[in-house]
Amino acid sequence: MKRTALGTVAATAATALLLSACGTGGDGGTGASDAEFDQGQTEIVNASEEQGGTLRFAISANMESTDPGNVYYGYMWNFSRLYARTLYTYDAQPGEAGQKVVPDLAEGDPEVSEDGKTWTVKLKPGMKYEDGSEITAEDVKYAIARSNFGPEALPNGPKYYQEHLADSDDYEGPYEDTDDPLEGFDGIETPDDHTMVFHLKKPFYDFKYVMVQPQSAPVPADADKGEQYQKHVVSSGPYKFDGDYTPGSGLNLVRNEEWDAESDPVRTALPDQITVQEGVEQNEIDQRLESGDLDVDLGGTGLGPAKKGELLQDEDAKTRIDNPVNGAHYYLTVNTQVEPLDTLECRQAVQYALNRSAVHRAWGGSAGGAMANTILPPVVPGHDEESAVYPAEDPEAQEGNVPEAEAKLEECGEDGGFETNLGVRSDRPAEVSAAEAIQEGLKRAGITVNIKQYPSDTFTNTQAGSPSFVHKEELGLNIYGWMPDWNTGYGYMSKILDGDAIKDAGNSNISELDNEEINELFDEITAIEDPEERDAMSKKIDKLAMEQAVIVPMVYHKAVLYRPDTLTNVFFNQSWKMYDYATLGTTNTG
């Protein structure tokens, strides 16, 4: 007897979007001139069926990678869908409807065995790459293999498949045996070109969310060039690369004529062309959005501090702004392997000394988010205020407790303070401002902080995300931001707190926490089917990690997103935590 994991799938989101766009008013959406502040959270703003034009993106750094199997930043999970389809995806709808998992390449819901360990997925027949060749189940299997297995596996992104697939522990990855790259990869069977059978080590009730991630975007083995595959990803989506991509030079996408619109549940494919300009300073991005010379800030984190404050005070500009709670938490990581922070009491001193109020102001105050005191943000199931174990002496001011910090320094043998380095992404103004506030706050307790700035496109791979670099440069502290891989406690915390998630590159457990009790709870939580039981365990993990003082909560983030009048079919998607890039159109014809 089998059951379905996702339930009945409703009419496709793309159809719903177009049906609601027949007018510029009503429940389905509004025109740009009728829009209001925060309207994109609940409605489609500037709804339109109009095709054509060039949709213009810009980003303050280089893109992390264009390879769907080698990305972890949320903006690339969102953006890569324009040229890469996955087994499943999220519904293209504003509000809570956007959290529903729907088929993409898959024909329907997965069939799940009674013991929860076997998941069978049927692919839609007739799906094609940009060259007209057919997309097969083996191509998806190969994509998962290259991103998850072997010493040469792509460094960026999670390794959920590696952790949970059975019969694959000895598999060395596709680059070890080029004659038969999938030899020994038995965790996935492909009995025919349109069937995939996933065998799990044990029940994993969140597995449907893993199949949403871009690592399931198909890759033909003969086109793979390892990390250089990003130069020209073979398209399975509505757009394809116009020539090769070179990091720093931007990206141009044009229509892929082999894409089957009838089979696609989410993508509207309105623009004729999509461009990305890299390395544009944040203030310039903000100015160009306001002037209509740019459509979207690709990074998805919102306006920088200067423009944010200005436009929120402008009643006309404010109608083009959405200010959603996006599920992100920006926090300070405290590394357990860098002296003297390898001592609990020294880490606790950092927790007590931080001036959260100053950090909050640096982030833009209430428009930038709320002061945080737990690891899990309020929008993630399992969040509980009782997990806060380091409240400031004055909860209203949140200015820190310097005497308690000094007492902890004495306990850890650093009476008078110590010196450490703080890593931060140089192209993110809010993070740089927060770093300066951290520096000032910790100085009050005698902790000297040296700020080290790095570009965001390499930060999570070769700087903060590389334990060897962190140890060599003595980065005891790093500012990091995290959104859930999916909206459960495990989907939020496992990659930043589980000792088994520590990697040599692309590491997100920047604190290098490897606590036996916490690790065991992560092993147990995946097999719990009851959501209430899972949430209770998530609360326990949060509190235990807080007691280890490896993450200093700072800001539960609220993005200030600007949607210029040129942008059509725009809304905030709760799953992608930013505007849904797969539905956007533009009135720009330049």
Side-chain angles (χ1 to χ4, degrees):
M1 183 177 179
K2 297 180 178 179
R3 52 186 174 157
T4 59
L6 308 184
T8 304
V9 178
T12 67
T15 301
L17 280 170
L18 293 179
L19 286 174
S20 68
C22 292
T24 56
D27 294 336
T30 63
S33 61
D34 302 321
E36 298 177 0
F37 174 70
D38 240 1
Q39 196 158 358
Q41 285 204 65
T42 56
E43 295 183 42
I44 302 162
V45 179
N46 203 7
S48 174
E49 298 180 53
E50 195 68 31
Q51 293 193 342
T54 299
L55 183 64
R56 303 158 299 176
F57 288 83
I59 188 168
S60 60
N62 291 344
M63 289 183 284
E64 177 188 17
S65 170
T66 60
D67 184 344
N70 196 28
V71 292
Y72 210 176
Y73 277 121
Y75 72 86
M76 283 309 302
W77 281 22
N78 188 0
F79 182 79
S80 64
R81 296 178 302 138
L82 291 165
Y83 53 84
R85 297 182 66 174
T86 49
L87 289 175
Y88 294 90
T89 189
Y90 294 110
D91 211 349
Q93 299 285 354
E96 292 187 6
Q99 296 191 40
K100 182 176 181 177
V101 176
V102 297
D104 191 356
L105 287 175
E107 194 170 46
D109 301 346
E111 292 183 343
V112 185
S113 62
E114 278 298 319
D115 64 4
K117 293 165 62 176
T118 303
W119 293 57
T120 301
V121 176
K122 294 283 189 179
L123 272 60
K124 297 167 185 169
M127 300 295 93
K128 295 179 181 180
Y129 293 109
E130 63 181 79
D131 62 2
S133 59
E134 187 174 11
I135 296 169
T136 68
E138 187 166 294
D139 294 339
V140 179
K141 179 177 178 178
Y142 180 82
I144 292 169
R146 68 188 288 272
S147 60
N148 279 261
F149 291 91
E152 296 182 64
L154 303 173
N156 296 337
K159 300 289 184 271
Y160 290 113
Y161 288 105
Q162 181 194 68
E163 294 165 20
H164 294 282
L165 287 174
D167 306 320
S168 301
D169 289 342
D170 297 328
Y171 177 55
E172 292 296 322
Y175 304 122
E176 291 296 308
D177 184 354
T178 55
D179 292 330
D180 190 356
L182 297 178
E183 175 68 27
F185 186 17
D186 300 326
I188 302 175
E189 290 183 88
T190 53
D192 58 57
D193 283 349
H194 302 106
T195 304
M196 302 186 71
V197 183
F198 295 86
H199 298 285
L200 307 184
K201 296 174 183 176
K202 60 182 182 180
F204 179 28
Y205 291 100
D206 281 355
F207 189 61
K208 62 183 179 182
Y209 299 111
V210 175
M211 293 190 287
V212 168
Q213 295 171 5
Q215 292 177 346
S216 74
V219 176
D222 58 2
D224 185 20
K225 294 180 173 59
E227 288 194 60
Q228 294 306 308
Y229 181 63
Q230 70 165 334
K231 291 180 63 177
H232 197 112
V233 176
V234 181
S235 174
S236 54
Y239 297 93
K240 62 183 179 181
F241 285 29
D242 183 14
D244 288 344
Y245 165 69
T246 301
S249 298
L251 176 69
N252 291 331
L253 299 176
V254 294
R255 290 192 181 277
N256 172 18
E257 301 301 331
E258 297 295 336
W259 170 68
D260 179 11
E262 293 294 321
S263 72
D264 199 324
V266 294
R267 299 164 182 84
T268 57
L270 295 179
D272 286 336
Q273 183 176 230
I274 296 170
T275 62
V276 179
Q277 187 177 358
E278 297 175 293
V280 182
E281 198 268 332
Q282 185 64 52
N283 286 334
E284 182 181 345
I285 289 177
D286 296 346
Q287 290 166 3
R288 288 169 59 186
L289 284 171
E290 185 185 13
S291 67
D293 294 327
L294 185 68
D295 299 306
V296 191
D297 180 354
L298 177 59
T301 56
L303 297 171
K307 188 61 71 173
K308 180 191 304 182
E310 175 190 336
L311 296 188
L312 283 172
Q313 299 303 313
D314 183 327
E315 290 303 316
D316 179 60
K318 195 172 178 181
T319 64
R320 300 176 181 87
I321 285 175
D322 296 304
N323 189 204
V325 175
N326 63 2
H329 177 188
Y330 284 91
Y331 51 80
L332 183 66
T333 69
V334 188
N335 191 278
T336 61
Q337 304 300 311
V338 174
E339 296 181 349
L341 296 166
D342 55 344
T343 303
L344 173 62
E345 289 78 12
C346 278
R347 298 197 298 273
Q348 290 174 325
V350 173
Q351 293 268 7
Y352 281 115
L354 184 73
N355 186 336
R356 286 177 173 80
S357 180
V359 171
H360 186 238
R361 288 194 300 272
W363 222 278
S366 59
M371 280 186 279
N373 57 5
T374 64
I375 297 171
L376 283 177
V379 297
V380 179
H383 167 81
D384 190 337
E385 291 295 317
E386 293 184 2
S387 297
V389 295
Y390 298 104
E393 190 172 42
D394 179 358
E396 292 297 321
Q398 290 284 309
E399 292 178 354
N401 188 332
V402 174
E404 186 64 28
E406 291 172 336
K408 289 296 180 182
L409 287 171
E410 186 174 354
E411 286 183 44
C412 72
E414 297 291 340
D415 191 14
F418 60 86
E419 184 173 352
T420 192
N421 296 325
L422 166 62
V424 62
R425 287 173 278 206
S426 59
D427 48 278
R428 299 195 174 185
E431 294 188 20
V432 175
S433 296
E436 293 168 351
I438 291 167
Q439 185 181 54
E440 285 298 312
L442 299 192
K443 183 180 179 180
R444 301 175 304 169
I447 302 172
T448 300
V449 174
N450 305 309
I451 299 172
K452 306 290 185 180
Q453 299 190 36
Y454 308 100
S456 62
D457 57 317
T458 59
F459 189 70
T460 61
N461 188 18
T462 58
Q463 283 100 35
S466 169
S468 62
F469 184 91
V470 167
H471 303 162
K472 178 183 176 183
E473 299 298 319
E474 298 183 346
L475 291 175
L477 307 173
N478 284 281
I479 292 180
Y480 207 50
W482 197 250
M483 294 182 179
D485 287 353
W486 58 86
N487 208 43
T488 68
Y490 179 86
Y492 191 94
M493 293 188 293
S494 65
K495 293 305 172 192
I496 61 175
L497 296 175
D498 191 343
D500 293 336
I502 298 171
K503 301 189 297 182
D504 292 335
N507 176 47
S508 297
N509 184 350
I510 296 175
S511 302
E512 295 182 72
L513 175 66
D514 192 6
N515 178 278
E516 184 176 352
E517 183 177 4
I518 291 173
N519 295 348
E520 289 177 356
L521 291 175
F522 277 123
D523 289 340
E524 294 172 16
I525 197 172
T526 59
I528 298 174
E529 189 169 10
D530 179 35
E532 291 187 3
E533 288 184 35
R534 288 203 305 265
D535 293 349
M537 189 170 286
S538 295
K539 294 176 187 178
K540 186 175 182 180
I541 293 171
D542 193 338
K543 186 164 187 175
L544 286 170
M546 284 295 299
E547 289 172 350
Q548 289 298 310
V550 293
I551 283 179
V552 184
M554 296 196 315
V555 178
Y556 301 134
H557 189 237
K558 289 184 73 177
V560 180
L561 302 175
Y562 190 88
R563 37 177 162 74
D565 292 345
T566 55
L567 202 58
T568 66
N569 270 5
V570 55
F571 62 89
F572 179 81
N573 187 301
Q574 289 190 12
S575 291
W576 302 116
K577 313 301 183 186
M578 58 194 75
Y579 291 141
D580 194 316
Y581 293 163
T583 65
L584 295 175
T586 181
T587 59
N588 168 55
T589 57

